[in-house]
Amino acid sequence: MKNWINRFHARLDAWGEKLCEKEIRIPVDLTVGILFFLFALAILFVMPQQVIVSDKDVVNGRAFPTLLMVVMMICCGMLIVKELYKLFTKQPLNWKVINLQTELKALAILTILVITYLLCRFTDLFVVGAVFCCLGFLVYFRCKKPSYYVITITLAVVIWACFRFVLNVEF
């Protein structure tokens, strides 16, 4: 088992060394303008299914979000036009350098958290998500002491049991 874990860690280290040198340059303002314009469009597209309105209301639940998304789209459009003007007139753009190794580490942490949420949501048991989260982060940070695994899993189960059975909190 330890041999397999050591080979896995060696492979991760090799990937990390390769990714350390990989960088992406993006024009920040142009990219953000386009992404948030598309985000506002998606919100406006989804809103009719999410917010029910009645004919009696003068101002309904869609009024403020719609206004906010329209203002956001106008601002994003102005930002995009400004950046395209800079691009065509050969003026310098605001660039951001993104290191792939750093971003993949953040993505791994986000993946652990999303899987934890999904496990809690679909099993209706907080303890399942808590145990997965404990194990996920211990493996991610390459913890090698078995006692740490036992301690964190035990604490997760004990805390859940105290809330569930002593305090009668259902989550």
Side-chain angles (χ1 to χ4, degrees), residues 61-126:
R62 289 187 201 165
F64 181 72
T66 301
L67 177 65
L68 187 65
M69 292 303 115
V70 169
V71 169
M72 189 164 118
M73 288 172 63
I74 291 170
C75 292
C76 288
M78 290 175 13
L79 183 62
I80 293 168
V81 168
K82 181 185 91 166
E83 291 301 309
L84 288 176
Y85 175 76
K86 281 183 175 180
L87 189 65
F88 291 131
T89 59
K90 307 284 188 213
Q91 294 178 13
L93 296 176
N94 186 13
W95 291 87
K96 174 73 175 167
V97 178
I98 297 174
N99 184 302
L100 286 181
Q101 181 186 26
T102 303
E103 299 305 319
L104 285 177
K105 286 180 180 180
L107 186 62
I109 290 172
L110 180 65
T111 302
I112 291 170
L113 293 173
V114 168
I115 292 172
T116 299
Y117 168 76
L118 292 173
L119 284 172
C120 290
R121 181 82 173 156
F122 292 120
T123 62
D124 286 333
L125 290 172
F126 176 78

Side-chain angles (χ1 to χ4, degrees), residues 47 51-66:
M47 196 179 319
V51 180
I52 307 299
V53 295
S54 75
D55 297 331
K56 298 182 277 183
D57 297 334
V58 176
V59 177
N60 57 40
R62 289 187 201 165
F64 181 72
T66 301

Side-chain angles (χ1 to χ4, degrees), residues 10-21 99 101 105:
R11 185 176 299 155
L12 286 178
D13 291 338
W15 286 347
E17 288 175 10
K18 289 178 187 175
L19 287 174
C20 187
E21 302 163 0
N99 184 302
Q101 181 186 26
K105 286 180 180 180

Side-chain angles (χ1 to χ4, degrees), residues 126-139 145-161:
F126 176 78
V127 71
V128 173
V131 168
F132 174 80
C133 190
C134 292
L135 292 175
F137 280 113
L138 286 171
V139 169
K145 292 191 176 186
S147 62
Y148 288 0
Y149 288 86
V150 172
I151 291 168
T152 55
I153 291 171
T154 304
L155 283 175
V157 172
V158 167
I159 291 169
W160 168 77

